[in-house]
Amino acid sequence: MLKTMRNIGIMAHIDAGKTTTTERILYYTGKSHRIGEVDDGEAIMDWMEQEQERGITIQSAATTTYWRRTKDGVQGTGAQYQINIIDTPGHVDFTAEVERSLRVLDGAVAIFDAVRGVEPQTETVWRQAARYKVPCIGYVNKMDRLGADFFHVLEDIQGKLGATLAVLQLPIGQESGFEGVIDLIEMREIRWATAEGETMTISPLSPELEKTANEWREKLIDCLSAVSDTVTEKYLSGEEIPAALIQSELRKAVIARELFPVLAGASRRNMGVQPLIDAVIDFLPAPDEVQDAQAHHLKKEEDMSVPCDPSGQPLGLVFKIQNDREAGSLCYVRMYSGQLKAGAAVYNVGKKKRERANRLLRMHSNKSEPMDTLSAGDIGVIIGMKLAQTGDTIGTENWPVILEKMQFPEPVISVSMEPGNLSERDKLKEILALLSKEDPTFIARENEETGQLIISGMGELHLDVLVTRILKEYNVWAKVGNPQVTYRESISAPAERTETFSKVIAGKENAASLTLRVEALPRGAGNTYTWAVKSPVVPDEIRDAVERGINSAFQSGIVLGYPCIDIGVTVLAAGYSELTATEFAFEACASMGFDEACRAASPILLEPIMAVDIAVPKEFVGEAISLMTARSGQVLSMESKSGGDEVKALAPMARMFGLMTSLRSVSQGRATFTMKFSHFEKKDR
């Protein structure tokens, strides 16, 4: 039943408590029989050896569990809801895992640290959720920690995320005195009676909490009346607004992304999780309540909407590939329409290839159970597809519809890998190909000039994790070189060049002539190509050859061989003769002309600039700023928070290696930082 299904993601900054909260959800819903702790390396959702060793989530993990809404503190007897959960990483280096998860989810739970508030990666995942129009609910975790401040977090959410808040719970006490929450919809107190948090005790509001509860209840009604005419009418006529009406109107507002409901708890102490599961059921949408999937019909060449209908034509999106030593590629699929049966033929629409879904699985972290059918709205794994890649659409040949692809950021840091001996080289190449298929932000290539194997990723931690997997998991002996920064080339002035090409090959003359103009475009504009030749009329295959030549020249660089960015190329004239013109000649002429024109257009080298966010205790702010300026960093702002200060800066990627070690040494190990690519900037030679 679609109405009783929820596809949700758990998202937040690193160490906000995503996996800890997910472990409690699995325990209270009966999916697991013990609570797995991240700190002990026993979390069910962190199954990789490296996740257990490092205490962080590296790969998004999927699971399915079932829940009946609580009634008076215990699970009710109403409809049973299926909840598909994806626990995502919080480190910026693994942002692609969050990106592809949000692409296929219908709702998300954003978790906030009650001490730190809105942290840098929280802002990133919030923007990702906004891009995919994913409705969210908020959960302020760690209310039991020293320095916890629920109301400061609310201000932070409003200020940094610009969300319109609907506060559904207030904490009773904070820090070590955190006892439970006030439910502002039902106007009651909820406490947790046992250490495992299984038993909730519900009680009426105590007199000393009534005034605060009434104030915040008024605020809740006020924000709800701004989006609901029904609530406004009842409020203005002085009628009592029932809890059921608040829930139904709030649900509409959350699905429309007009309101952001916020709850409170302390997952580590097993407090606040059951009401959070209820809120997922009450306020996040079922698969058929969200906007229809957007697709493109290849034959009709028109965009279309695909409603979530199990009886429709089969259509699904491969959003993650994971390699299993025994089963091969595990293709994680979200079905948007129709049904897929185990053993049935599957058509990869983009690659125009037929494959077979040998088996269908429902995943529980790294364990699985077989399924007979995967229906619209559901998430599962297909075994048997060999050609599928992340972002591929699967469906049927008679309905060639392709779903919108996912966009991933470009890798900005590289290291070289050299196998210990020649016999290991082929094995290493195979493993790098497998890892590249799993992770769209990991690229492995061979440098044609040096013969080195170069691997590129999103940051030091990302590459460290992948290198450790290659060495330990796949038992390949290899040496790792120093990180290399991925530079870019561009130009700083306009230039024109007329290039001619003439060569006799096998007794036939191959000739071409082109006049090109190159000009610098604004940073971030990308490369452009324009054909502005009015006469003579040049055949399409020759024009295509010129475009191929220009595009290959963009990749091969100008002076140092780095890819070119932000260059506009216009073909002004073409010397075309039917007797001597060939595709080969024009492709070569375009490439040579581009090279010569760019060399005359004051070429420049661009380096990646990183946006760095440092969370540091107040007493070490000076040292952190000095560290950044010593690395050619530019400090943009500094903000004081209850848990310390936050320094925002821009710095060249080449100067950022080893920052974590230096930062820990000047802050007694208490400072942390996140770093993401910001833009390319001219490098001072």
Side-chain angles (χ1 to χ4, degrees):
M1 283 280 293
L2 286 174
K3 292 292 177 199
T4 56
M5 188 186 290
R6 302 288 182 271
N7 293 313
I8 66 161
I10 312 288
M11 62 182 198
H13 189 88
I14 192 167
D15 205 29
K18 295 179 300 301
T19 304
T20 301
T21 304
T22 308
E23 292 294 322
R24 269 69 183 170
I25 292 173
L26 296 179
Y27 179 68
Y28 298 134
T29 55
K31 187 71 181 179
S32 60
H33 302 294
R34 63 176 179 81
I35 298 174
E37 297 294 359
V38 175
D39 297 346
D40 304 334
E42 294 181 352
I44 295 164
M45 300 303 277
D46 285 351
W47 59 271
M48 284 176 67
E49 184 183 335
Q50 284 202 67
E51 291 177 318
Q52 293 165 358
E53 286 175 1
R54 297 171 189 258
I56 61 169
T57 301
I58 292 169
Q59 284 196 349
S60 55
T63 188
T64 299
T65 189
Y66 299 88
W67 180 251
R68 299 182 193 277
R69 282 200 81 260
T70 52
K71 185 173 175 61
D72 300 326
V74 295
Q75 273 205 63
T77 55
Q80 187 181 54
Y81 287 83
Q82 175 186 327
I83 308 175
N84 297 325
I85 304 171
I86 297 183
D87 176 30
T88 63
H91 196 285
V92 68
D93 280 15
F94 308 108
T95 191
E97 291 288 328
V98 186
E99 183 85 22
R100 58 183 172 190
S101 299
L102 286 172
R103 169 70 175 81
V104 298
L105 293 171
D106 303 321
V109 178
I111 298 183
F112 302 90
D113 186 321
V115 180
R116 295 194 173 278
V118 176
E119 297 174 271
Q121 184 63 3
T122 316
E123 295 183 59
T124 302
V125 294
W126 181 263
R127 286 194 296 272
Q128 287 172 314
R131 184 161 66 248
Y132 292 122
K133 297 182 174 64
V134 177
C136 300
I137 59 176
Y139 176 66
V140 180
N141 189 25
K142 303 193 178 184
M143 281 305 306
D144 57 326
R145 273 188 59 196
L146 188 66
D149 188 339
F150 180 75
F151 300 103
H152 172 72
V153 176
L154 296 183
E155 289 173 18
D156 218 16
I157 293 170
Q158 281 182 305
K160 288 186 175 172
L161 305 183
T164 307
L165 299 182
V167 180
L168 306 187
Q169 291 178 352
L170 296 177
I172 302 172
Q174 60 187 38
E175 298 182 348
S176 58
F178 179 64
E179 297 175 27
V181 296
I182 300 170
D183 179 353
L184 294 175
I185 295 179
E186 301 281 358
M187 291 301 276
R188 59 188 184 173
E189 295 177 18
I190 305 175
R191 287 178 169 82
W192 283 264
T194 57
E196 283 76 32
E198 290 177 64
T199 308
M200 297 194 305
T201 57
I202 311 291
S203 57
L205 284 175
S206 51
E208 63 270 20
L209 296 175
E210 271 188 15
K211 185 183 176 187
T212 307
N214 285 328
E215 280 177 22
W216 282 91
R217 165 85 173 202
E218 282 291 313
K219 289 181 183 178
L220 174 61
I221 301 298
D222 189 43
C223 76
L224 199 52
S225 64
V227 295
S228 167
D229 293 338
T230 313
V231 173
T232 307
E233 287 168 16
K234 282 192 176 292
Y235 181 71
L236 292 175
S237 61
E239 292 180 50
E240 179 63 32
I241 300 171
L245 178 64
I246 293 176
Q247 276 191 353
S248 63
E249 293 301 302
L250 188 55
R251 178 180 179 78
K252 292 177 193 171
V254 172
I255 292 172
R257 286 182 56 84
E258 294 172 329
L259 292 178
F260 180 53
V262 180
L263 300 92
S267 297
R268 189 78 168 78
R269 279 178 57 195
N270 309 318
M271 302 168 75
V273 179
Q274 294 96 326
L276 176 64
I277 310 172
D278 285 342
V280 166
I281 300 300
D282 289 340
F283 307 120
L284 292 181
D288 59 348
E289 291 177 310
V290 292
Q291 191 177 2
D292 291 345
Q294 298 305 300
H296 181 77
H297 199 293
L298 295 179
K299 281 188 179 171
K300 295 180 181 176
E301 292 192 351
E302 61 184 24
D303 293 337
M304 58 183 293
S305 295
V306 180
C308 185
D309 180 6
S311 61
Q313 291 269 26
L315 193 70
L317 182 75
V318 178
F319 67 93
K320 177 181 165 80
I321 303 284
Q322 188 177 312
N323 186 60
D324 185 271
R325 288 191 176 183
E326 294 175 9
S329 288
L330 305 182
C331 299
Y332 285 73
V333 173
R334 160 72 194 261
M335 287 300 286
Y336 284 95
S337 173
Q339 294 185 340
L340 198 63
K341 293 187 184 300
V346 178
Y347 184 64
N348 189 322
V349 182
K351 291 189 168 60
K352 297 180 180 174
K353 296 285 184 184
R354 282 195 211 92
E355 298 205 67
R356 188 163 293 280
N358 294 335
R359 285 192 289 155
L360 299 177
L361 303 177
R362 189 177 292 292
M363 296 304 291
H364 177 46
S365 187
N366 62 329
K367 296 182 174 61
S368 63
E369 57 188 57
M371 298 170 69
D372 294 326
T373 307
L374 185 62
S375 296
D378 210 347
I379 290 172
V381 163
I382 297 177
I383 290 183
M385 293 171 64
K386 294 181 175 64
L387 302 172
Q389 288 180 294
T390 299
D392 282 357
T393 301
I394 59 169
T396 55
E397 282 183 79
N398 58 3
W399 198 51
V401 170
I402 197 159
L403 290 158
E404 191 181 348
K405 284 203 173 241
M406 290 178 266
Q407 301 296 321
F408 294 107
E410 286 277 320
V412 290
I413 176 173
S414 303
V415 296
S416 64
M417 285 202 83
E418 284 302 317
N421 52 54
L422 282 173
S423 63
E424 294 273 87
R425 190 173 181 85
D426 290 340
K427 186 180 174 185
L428 178 59
K429 281 186 173 180
E430 281 176 29
I431 290 157
L432 292 176
L434 278 177
L435 293 174
S436 299
K437 196 175 175 184
E438 278 188 17
D439 186 348
T441 57
F442 173 67
I443 293 172
R445 61 186 171 85
E446 189 169 347
N447 189 316
E448 291 177 8
E449 293 179 15
T450 64
Q452 272 188 317
L453 283 172
I454 306 293
I455 60 171
S456 306
M458 298 305 298
E460 282 182 278
L461 179 61
H462 186 208
L463 285 185
D464 185 34
V465 164
L466 288 162
V467 167
T468 308
R469 282 187 69 189
I470 292 166
L471 301 180
K472 285 189 176 180
E473 198 177 310
Y474 293 99
N475 297 317
V476 174
W477 182 50
K479 291 179 286 187
V480 180
N482 287 329
Q484 299 173 343
V485 177
T486 310
Y487 293 99
R488 295 288 185 269
E489 291 189 75
S490 193
I491 55 175
S492 55
E496 276 189 30
R497 171 79 181 183
T498 299
E499 186 72 33
T500 56
F501 178 90
S502 180
K503 200 163 193 177
V504 177
I505 300 173
K508 183 182 186 310
E509 186 181 355
N510 293 257
S513 173
L514 289 169
T515 302
L516 305 176
R517 183 176 71 234
V518 294
E519 56 192 331
L521 299 178
R523 261 329 132 249
N527 295 322
T528 63
Y529 165 78
T530 308
W531 179 271
V533 179
K534 296 289 187 289
S535 62
V537 176
V538 178
D540 287 346
E541 58 268 22
I542 297 293
R543 290 175 58 171
D544 291 344
V546 173
E547 189 170 356
R548 281 199 305 275
I550 298 294
N551 286 335
S552 66
F554 280 143
Q555 296 305 312
S556 57
I558 303 166
V559 179
L560 298 170
Y562 293 108
C564 301
I565 60 168
D566 306 331
I567 298 177
V569 180
T570 307
V571 182
L572 300 173
Y576 172 75
S577 164
E578 286 184 7
L579 299 174
T580 58
T582 61
E583 290 181 42
F584 161 72
F586 273 91
E587 189 171 339
C589 185
S591 186
M592 290 162 56
F594 173 85
D595 199 42
E596 293 300 323
C598 287
R599 284 174 185 271
S602 306
I604 54 173
L605 184 65
L606 302 173
E607 65 178 337
I609 303 297
M610 309 303 286
V612 186
D613 290 289
I614 303 175
V616 58
K618 287 180 169 53
E619 59 268 33
F620 300 114
V621 169
E623 287 85 347
I625 290 175
S626 298
L627 198 61
M628 286 308 299
T629 51
R631 290 170 178 258
S632 307
Q634 175 191 354
V635 177
L636 302 177
S637 66
M638 194 178 78
E639 186 182 348
S640 290
K641 290 191 171 185
S642 56
D645 284 8
E646 190 179 295
V647 177
K648 290 182 181 287
L650 292 173
M653 178 78 194
R655 303 294 303 274
M656 288 294 98
F657 300 122
L659 176 63
M660 192 72 251
T661 308
S662 304
L663 195 58
R664 282 174 178 157
S665 66
V666 300
S667 66
Q668 298 175 3
R670 293 164 63 194
T672 60
F673 82 98
T674 57
M675 182 170 72
K676 64 181 178 183
F677 171 72
S678 172
H679 62 281
F680 282 101
E681 197 172 276
K682 184 180 177 182
K683 178 176 167 59
D684 297 324
R685 294 186 184 266

